Structures are given as structure tokens and as C-alpha cells.
Amino acid sequence: MKAVQMDAYGGPEVLVLRDAPDPTAGPGEIVVDIHAASINPADWKVREGLRRDDVKAVFPHVLGRDFSGVVRAVGEDVADFAPGDAVFAVTDRGQEGAYAEAIAIKAALAARKPESVSHAEAAALALTGLTALVCLEDAADLRADETLLIHGAAGGVGSFAVQYARHVGARVLATASARNHDYLRGLGADEVIDYTQQDFTEAASDCDAVLDTIGGEVHQRSFAVLRPGGLLIHIAPPPPGFTPPRDDVTVVRPLVARDRAHLERIVELVETGAVRPPEIERLPLAEAAAAQELSRTGHVRGKIVLEVH
């Protein structure tokens, strides 16, 4: 099979498309022929060696955490999938390998692809949807009539989070540059704040929860918009050495565990029309380096997806 491999940490030039061994299914595993793989900001961070505690790369290393495709083979003890099934999945923590034509993965980490979406759309919904659900459904238990502020709302996680929050009846505030305002209103945001023109701490107040996908100084300033007893959920780190300035709010960085249950929840939300796929920019597998550099700008609307088959 073809795979995008790296033999060392470094810049985009370390990513090379080459022949690699075909995977085989061990006990409890399936082999999936990948049709589409998602690009995540973590990918280029792993490539540069910034996530060595999270992913211990063994070279040659194949990046990529979420994908959609068709089951090629099943291993022993796998009774819930058969060759030909369309599935989508997120690799286990510490495992990667989706920048390739095929992958072996635990069957328990895959779910049947929603019939109403393409492979590219399913790949775009996988890790983003799982992350948004862990943050807003599990950690925040977001309810109707609560106010949620989402930072980086036009990105993959943010696009899903806006729609989920609207679905449960929450009031949704979102930060984004002006070019993404119509996009976010179309997803269900009640108010969009142009962070390039306005200080979000002046535009928002008394929020029940903040979902921070940006980190850094945005994390630091988010404490100012929370009501007493509010919740700051973040998936990006605060500034180094930062100490929360308030003890009347809760700060959570949830563990985004991989499992079929969350993927099936994504399927339910998609099939009922509560959530639709984000805007997608498609590139071929051979352009993985260019896709990562685009991701690195931090200004991607929706998701970047590599089309494989």
C-alpha cells in the first residue's frame, strides 16, 4: 500500500509518500481500506516533535488519527463487522496511521458510517465530533437556556460544537474572523464576535460555559466572561505557568477517550439532522504536507480532508 511516512521529526519536507507494508488484522481488529483521512492540528505538532509525551513515534511513522473507509478484513473475535462494511473511526490514544491506503484498528473503536454522508464528510466528523461531545455533553452537560461561548468556532470542533449547542437549546456565542460569520450563523450561532475588531471580554458576560479550542492568552482572558460557578472547558493549553485567577469557576481539560459509543452518538445527530458535516477542503494523499501547512495557519474553516481512494 501507499502511505505518507516520516523518518524523523521536522518540517513538512519529512513527509514522504512511499510503499509501506500492508496491515493485517490481529485478534479484535479490522483492516480498513481508507477512503478519506482527516487533518488535525495535532498532526503537524507530532511531526515537529512537540507531542512526544502524547505520541511516541517509531520511525518510519505514519500520522493521522481519524478516517473513513471500507472494511477489508476482520480478525479473530470480530463479529460486528464484515468485509465491505463502510465505517469511520478514531485511532486509540497514542496510535496513528491514517495517512495511508489502509489501517488495522481495534474493531471497538470503529462505527458504521452514516449513510447520509460521504467518506470525506465522515472523516471530518469523527475526531471533531467526538471531542465536541466529550466537552459539551459529557463534561459540561450543556442544557437548554444556558449560554456557551465557543472560541475558534469556525474550526472542526467548533463547527460541531455550535450545532450541538443549538440542538440542545443553548444560547451560542462564537468568536471568529469576519469572513466566517455567515458560516457560523448558518450553523446556529446566536451571536458571532469578530475577535480581530472587538475584545470578546467586552462583548460577552455571565456565560455558563466557555469552550476554548485556542488556548494561550484566550484561555487566560476567558475567566472574565464566566459567571460564578461557570465552567471553562479547554482542549488547548493555557500559557506556560498560568494560574487560574478565580476559584469560583471550574476548569476542565477532558480526556478525549476513543470509543464506538461517541461515534454512534455522532451518527444519531447526523441522521436526525441535528448536525451536518463542516465545510471541507479536500486534497489528495500525496499533498499531506501542504494540507498540514494549511492547518498550521490556524484559520481553516471546517476541516481539511485527504482523499485516499
Side-chain angles (χ1 to χ4, degrees):
M1 70 168 184
K2 295 290 186 182
V4 175
Q5 295 183 331
M6 49 185 273
D7 295 324
Y9 295 116
E13 70 280 355
V14 303
L15 299 178
V16 180
L17 180 66
R18 58 164 74 119
D19 290 323
D22 276 317
T24 57
E29 292 184 336
I30 56 176
V31 172
V32 179
D33 287 323
I34 296 174
H35 285 229
S38 174
I39 296 285
N40 294 290
D43 297 351
W44 61 264
K45 295 174 184 177
V46 172
R47 186 200 74 210
E48 293 188 348
L50 303 176
R51 291 287 185 90
R52 300 188 195 201
D53 293 338
D54 182 33
V55 176
K56 294 177 173 57
V58 177
F59 301 113
H61 183 70
V62 179
L63 295 162
R65 301 183 177 194
D66 50 342
F67 61 91
S68 181
V70 175
V71 176
R72 177 201 299 177
V74 301
E76 296 178 16
D77 304 322
V78 175
D80 38 5
F81 293 118
D85 288 342
V87 299
F88 73 130
V90 181
T91 60
D92 210 351
R93 292 185 65 84
Q95 179 196 2
E96 299 187 312
Y99 288 15
E101 290 182 330
I103 189 172
I105 190 173
K106 295 176 185 175
L109 300 180
R112 295 185 186 277
K113 180 183 74 67
E115 294 184 1
S116 60
V117 301
S118 68
H119 284 291
E121 291 170 329
L125 286 164
L127 184 54
T128 56
L130 189 152
T131 302
L133 288 173
V134 167
C135 290
L136 298 184
E137 194 163 71
D138 299 351
D141 190 21
L142 190 68
R143 304 292 181 90
D145 300 323
E146 291 187 322
T147 297
L148 170 70
L149 171 63
I150 303 172
H151 291 303
V157 173
S159 294
F160 194 105
V162 168
Q163 295 179 83
Y164 174 80
R166 175 206 58 192
H167 170 64
V168 300
R171 177 170 174 254
V172 185
L173 312 181
T175 63
S177 60
R179 72 182 186 92
N180 290 319
H181 285 204
D182 288 343
Y183 171 69
L184 289 169
R185 291 190 185 99
L187 295 180
D190 294 290
E191 182 179 342
V192 188
I193 302 164
D194 183 354
Y195 66 87
T196 70
Q197 301 294 325
Q198 187 174 15
D199 185 344
F200 72 84
T201 64
E202 298 176 357
S205 61
D206 294 320
C207 294
D208 297 283
V210 172
L211 174 59
D212 175 22
T213 73
I214 305 297
E217 58 90 20
V218 170
H219 176 104
Q220 184 174 354
R221 295 194 293 127
S222 291
F223 287 86
V225 305
L226 284 165
R227 65 165 176 78
L231 176 66
L232 172 57
I233 313 156
H234 64 108
I235 59 173
F242 175 71
T243 300
R246 296 173 59 180
D247 59 9
D248 63 340
V249 299
T250 301
V251 181
V252 177
R253 188 175 190 178
L255 177 67
V256 182
R258 281 75 154 136
D259 58 60
R260 183 181 299 165
H262 283 92
L263 295 178
E264 290 181 340
R265 178 69 173 132
I266 294 171
V267 173
E268 177 186 353
L269 290 166
V270 169
E271 303 252 321
T272 59
V275 170
R276 68 175 188 262
E279 188 169 307
I280 298 172
E281 182 159 353
R282 295 167 169 83
L283 285 85
L285 180 63
E287 295 184 24
Q292 284 194 4
E293 290 304 279
L294 184 58
S295 171
R296 188 173 179 168
T297 67
H299 298 292
V300 174
R301 179 191 293 170
K303 288 289 289 182
I304 305 167
V305 171
L306 298 175
E307 294 189 315
V308 182
H309 282 293

Coordinates of all heavy atoms in Angstrom, one line a residue, residues 132-183:
A132 N -16.1 17.3 20.6 CA -17.1 18.2 21.0 C -18.1 17.6 21.9 O -18.6 18.2 22.9 CB -17.9 18.8 19.7
L133 N -18.4 16.3 21.7 CA -19.4 15.6 22.6 C -18.8 15.4 24.0 O -19.5 15.5 25.0 CB -19.8 14.3 21.9 CG -20.7 14.4 20.7 CD1 -20.9 13.0 20.1 CD2 -22.1 15.0 21.1
V134 N -17.5 15.0 24.0 CA -16.9 14.8 25.3 C -16.9 16.1 26.1 O -17.1 16.1 27.3 CB -15.4 14.3 25.1 CG1 -14.6 14.4 26.4 CG2 -15.5 12.8 24.6
C135 N -16.6 17.2 25.4 CA -16.6 18.5 26.1 C -18.0 19.0 26.5 O -18.1 19.4 27.7 CB -15.9 19.6 25.2 SG -14.2 19.3 24.9
L136 N -18.9 19.0 25.6 CA -20.2 19.6 25.9 C -21.3 18.7 26.4 O -22.1 19.1 27.3 CB -20.7 20.3 24.6 CG -19.8 21.4 24.0 CD1 -20.5 22.0 22.8 CD2 -19.5 22.4 25.1
E137 N -21.3 17.4 26.0 CA -22.3 16.5 26.5 C -21.8 15.8 27.8 O -22.6 15.7 28.8 CB -22.6 15.5 25.4 CG -23.9 14.7 25.7 CD -24.4 14.0 24.5 OE1 -23.8 13.0 24.1 OE2 -25.5 14.4 24.0
D138 N -20.6 15.4 27.8 CA -20.1 14.7 29.0 C -19.6 15.6 30.1 O -20.0 15.5 31.2 CB -18.9 13.7 28.6 CG -19.3 12.7 27.6 OD1 -20.6 12.6 27.3 OD2 -18.5 12.0 27.0
A139 N -18.6 16.5 29.7 CA -18.0 17.4 30.8 C -19.0 18.5 31.2 O -19.1 18.8 32.4 CB -16.7 17.9 30.2
A140 N -19.6 19.1 30.2 CA -20.4 20.3 30.6 C -21.9 20.0 30.9 O -22.6 20.7 31.6 CB -20.4 21.3 29.5
D141 N -22.4 18.8 30.4 CA -23.8 18.5 30.5 C -24.6 19.7 30.1 O -25.5 20.1 30.8 CB -24.1 18.1 31.9 CG -25.5 17.5 32.0 OD1 -26.1 17.1 30.9 OD2 -26.1 17.4 33.1
L142 N -24.3 20.3 28.9 CA -24.9 21.5 28.5 C -26.4 21.4 28.4 O -26.9 20.4 27.8 CB -24.3 21.9 27.1 CG -24.7 23.3 26.6 CD1 -24.0 24.4 27.5 CD2 -24.2 23.5 25.1
R143 N -27.1 22.4 28.8 CA -28.6 22.4 28.9 C -29.2 23.5 28.1 O -28.5 24.5 27.8 CB -29.0 22.4 30.4 CG -28.5 21.3 31.2 CD -29.0 20.0 30.9 NE -28.5 18.9 31.8 CZ -29.0 18.5 32.9 NH1 -30.1 19.1 33.3 NH2 -28.5 17.6 33.6
A144 N -30.5 23.4 27.9 CA -31.2 24.5 27.3 C -31.2 25.7 28.1 O -31.2 25.6 29.4 CB -32.7 24.0 27.0
D145 N -31.2 26.9 27.5 CA -31.2 28.2 28.1 C -29.8 28.5 28.8 O -29.7 29.6 29.4 CB -32.3 28.3 29.2 CG -33.7 28.1 28.5 OD1 -33.8 28.5 27.4 OD2 -34.5 27.5 29.2
E146 N -28.8 27.7 28.7 CA -27.5 28.1 29.2 C -26.8 28.8 28.1 O -27.1 28.7 26.9 CB -26.7 26.9 29.6 CG -27.2 26.2 30.9 CD -26.3 25.1 31.4 OE1 -25.7 24.4 30.6 OE2 -26.1 25.0 32.6
T147 N -25.8 29.7 28.5 CA -25.1 30.4 27.5 C -23.7 29.9 27.4 O -23.0 29.7 28.4 CB -25.0 31.9 27.9 OG1 -26.3 32.5 27.9 CG2 -24.1 32.7 26.9
L148 N -23.3 29.5 26.1 CA -22.0 29.0 25.8 C -21.2 29.9 24.9 O -21.8 30.3 23.9 CB -22.1 27.6 25.2 CG -20.9 26.9 24.6 CD1 -19.9 26.5 25.7 CD2 -21.3 25.7 23.7
L149 N -20.0 30.2 25.2 CA -19.1 30.9 24.3 C -18.1 29.9 23.8 O -17.4 29.2 24.5 CB -18.3 32.0 25.1 CG -17.2 32.7 24.3 CD1 -17.7 33.4 23.1 CD2 -16.5 33.7 25.2
I150 N -18.0 29.9 22.4 CA -17.0 28.9 21.7 C -15.9 29.8 21.1 O -16.2 30.6 20.2 CB -17.8 28.1 20.7 CG1 -18.9 27.3 21.4 CG2 -16.8 27.1 20.0 CD1 -19.8 26.6 20.4
H151 N -14.7 29.5 21.5 CA -13.6 30.1 20.8 C -13.1 29.2 19.6 O -13.0 28.0 19.8 CB -12.4 30.3 21.8 CG -12.7 31.4 22.8 ND1 -13.0 32.7 22.5 CD2 -12.6 31.3 24.2 CE1 -13.2 33.3 23.7 NE2 -13.0 32.5 24.7
G152 N -12.7 29.9 18.5 CA -12.3 29.1 17.4 C -13.5 28.3 16.8 O -13.3 27.2 16.3
A153 N -14.6 29.0 16.7 CA -15.9 28.3 16.4 C -16.0 27.8 15.0 O -16.7 26.9 14.7 CB -17.1 29.2 16.7
A154 N -15.2 28.4 14.1 CA -15.3 28.0 12.7 C -14.5 26.8 12.3 O -14.5 26.3 11.2 CB -14.9 29.2 11.8
G155 N -13.6 26.3 13.3 CA -12.8 25.1 13.0 C -13.7 23.9 13.1 O -14.9 23.9 13.3
G156 N -13.0 22.7 13.0 CA -13.7 21.5 13.0 C -14.5 21.2 14.3 O -15.7 20.9 14.2
V157 N -13.8 21.3 15.4 CA -14.5 21.1 16.7 C -15.6 22.1 16.9 O -16.7 21.8 17.3 CB -13.5 21.0 17.9 CG1 -14.2 21.0 19.2 CG2 -12.5 19.8 17.7
G158 N -15.2 23.4 16.6 CA -16.1 24.5 16.8 C -17.4 24.3 16.0 O -18.5 24.6 16.4
S159 N -17.2 23.9 14.7 CA -18.4 23.8 13.8 C -19.4 22.8 14.4 O -20.6 22.9 14.3 CB -17.9 23.3 12.4 OG -17.1 24.3 11.8
F160 N -18.9 21.7 14.9 CA -19.7 20.6 15.5 C -20.3 21.2 16.8 O -21.5 21.0 17.1 CB -18.9 19.4 15.8 CG -19.8 18.2 16.1 CD1 -20.0 17.2 15.1 CD2 -20.4 18.0 17.3 CE1 -20.7 16.0 15.4 CE2 -21.2 16.9 17.6 CZ -21.4 15.9 16.6
A161 N -19.5 21.8 17.6 CA -20.0 22.3 18.9 C -21.1 23.3 18.8 O -22.1 23.3 19.6 CB -18.8 22.9 19.7
V162 N -21.0 24.2 17.8 CA -22.1 25.2 17.6 C -23.4 24.5 17.3 O -24.4 24.9 17.9 CB -21.7 26.2 16.4 CG1 -22.9 27.0 16.0 CG2 -20.5 27.1 16.8
Q163 N -23.3 23.5 16.4 CA -24.6 22.8 16.1 C -25.1 22.0 17.2 O -26.3 22.0 17.5 CB -24.3 21.9 14.9 CG -23.9 22.7 13.6 CD -23.6 21.7 12.5 OE1 -24.6 21.3 11.8 NE2 -22.4 21.4 12.3
Y164 N -24.2 21.4 18.0 CA -24.7 20.6 19.1 C -25.4 21.5 20.2 O -26.4 21.2 20.7 CB -23.6 19.8 19.8 CG -24.0 19.1 21.0 CD1 -24.7 17.9 21.0 CD2 -23.8 19.7 22.3 CE1 -25.2 17.3 22.1 CE2 -24.2 19.1 23.4 CZ -24.9 17.9 23.4 OH -25.4 17.3 24.5
A165 N -24.7 22.6 20.5 CA -25.2 23.6 21.5 C -26.6 24.1 21.0 O -27.5 24.2 21.8 CB -24.2 24.7 21.7
R166 N -26.7 24.4 19.7 CA -28.0 24.9 19.2 C -29.1 23.8 19.4 O -30.2 24.0 19.8 CB -27.9 25.3 17.8 CG -29.2 25.7 17.1 CD -29.1 25.4 15.6 NE -28.8 24.0 15.3 CZ -28.5 23.6 14.1 NH1 -28.4 24.4 13.1 NH2 -28.2 22.3 13.9
H167 N -28.7 22.5 19.1 CA -29.6 21.4 19.2 C -30.2 21.2 20.6 O -31.3 20.9 20.7 CB -28.8 20.1 18.7 CG -29.6 18.9 19.0 ND1 -30.8 18.6 18.3 CD2 -29.3 17.8 19.8 CE1 -31.2 17.4 18.8 NE2 -30.3 16.9 19.6
V168 N -29.3 21.4 21.6 CA -29.8 21.2 23.0 C -30.5 22.5 23.5 O -31.1 22.5 24.6 CB -28.7 20.8 23.9 CG1 -28.1 19.5 23.5 CG2 -27.7 21.9 24.1
G169 N -30.5 23.6 22.7 CA -31.3 24.8 23.1 C -30.5 25.8 23.8 O -31.1 26.8 24.4
A170 N -29.2 25.7 23.8 CA -28.3 26.7 24.5 C -28.2 27.9 23.6 O -28.4 27.9 22.4 CB -26.9 26.1 24.8
R171 N -27.9 29.1 24.3 CA -27.6 30.3 23.6 C -26.1 30.2 23.2 O -25.2 30.0 24.1 CB -27.8 31.5 24.5 CG -27.5 32.8 23.8 CD -28.0 34.0 24.7 NE -27.5 35.3 24.2 CZ -26.6 36.0 24.7 NH1 -26.0 35.6 25.9 NH2 -26.2 37.2 24.2
V172 N -25.8 30.4 21.9 CA -24.5 30.1 21.4 C -23.8 31.4 21.0 O -24.3 32.1 20.0 CB -24.5 29.2 20.2 CG1 -23.0 28.8 19.8 CG2 -25.2 27.9 20.6
L173 N -22.7 31.8 21.7 CA -21.8 32.9 21.2 C -20.6 32.3 20.6 O -20.1 31.3 21.1 CB -21.5 33.8 22.4 CG -22.6 34.2 23.4 CD1 -22.0 35.1 24.5 CD2 -23.7 34.9 22.6
A174 N -20.0 32.9 19.6 CA -18.9 32.3 18.9 C -17.9 33.4 18.6 O -18.3 34.5 18.2 CB -19.3 31.6 17.7
T175 N -16.6 33.1 18.7 CA -15.6 34.1 18.2 C -15.0 33.6 16.9 O -14.8 32.4 16.7 CB -14.4 34.2 19.2 OG1 -13.7 33.0 19.4 CG2 -14.9 34.7 20.5
A176 N -14.9 34.5 15.9 CA -14.4 34.1 14.6 C -14.1 35.4 13.8 O -14.6 36.5 14.2 CB -15.4 33.3 13.8
S177 N -13.2 35.3 12.8 CA -13.0 36.5 12.0 C -14.2 36.7 11.1 O -15.1 35.9 10.9 CB -11.7 36.2 11.1 OG -11.9 35.1 10.3
A178 N -14.3 37.9 10.5 CA -15.5 38.4 9.8 C -15.9 37.4 8.7 O -17.1 37.2 8.4 CB -15.3 39.8 9.3
R179 N -14.9 36.8 8.0 CA -15.2 36.0 6.9 C -16.0 34.7 7.2 O -16.6 34.1 6.4 CB -13.9 35.6 6.1 CG -13.1 34.6 6.8 CD -11.8 34.3 6.1 NE -11.0 33.2 6.7 CZ -11.1 31.9 6.4 NH1 -12.0 31.6 5.4 NH2 -10.4 31.0 7.0
N180 N -16.0 34.4 8.5 CA -16.7 33.2 9.0 C -18.0 33.4 9.7 O -18.6 32.5 10.1 CB -15.8 32.4 9.9 CG -14.6 31.8 9.2 OD1 -14.7 31.3 8.1 ND2 -13.4 31.8 9.8
H181 N -18.4 34.7 9.7 CA -19.6 35.0 10.5 C -20.9 34.4 9.8 O -21.7 33.8 10.5 CB -19.8 36.5 10.6 CG -18.8 37.1 11.6 ND1 -19.1 38.3 12.3 CD2 -17.7 36.6 12.1 CE1 -18.1 38.5 13.1 NE2 -17.2 37.6 13.0
D182 N -21.0 34.5 8.5 CA -22.2 33.9 7.9 C -22.2 32.4 8.0 O -23.3 31.8 8.2 CB -22.3 34.3 6.4 CG -22.6 35.8 6.2 OD1 -23.1 36.4 7.2 OD2 -22.4 36.3 5.1
Y183 N -21.1 31.8 7.9 CA -20.9 30.4 8.1 C -21.4 29.9 9.4 O -22.2 29.0 9.6 CB -19.5 30.0 7.9 CG -19.1 28.5 8.2 CD1 -19.6 27.5 7.4 CD2 -18.3 28.2 9.3 CE1 -19.3 26.1 7.7 CE2 -18.0 26.9 9.6 CZ -18.5 25.9 8.8 OH -18.2 24.6 9.1

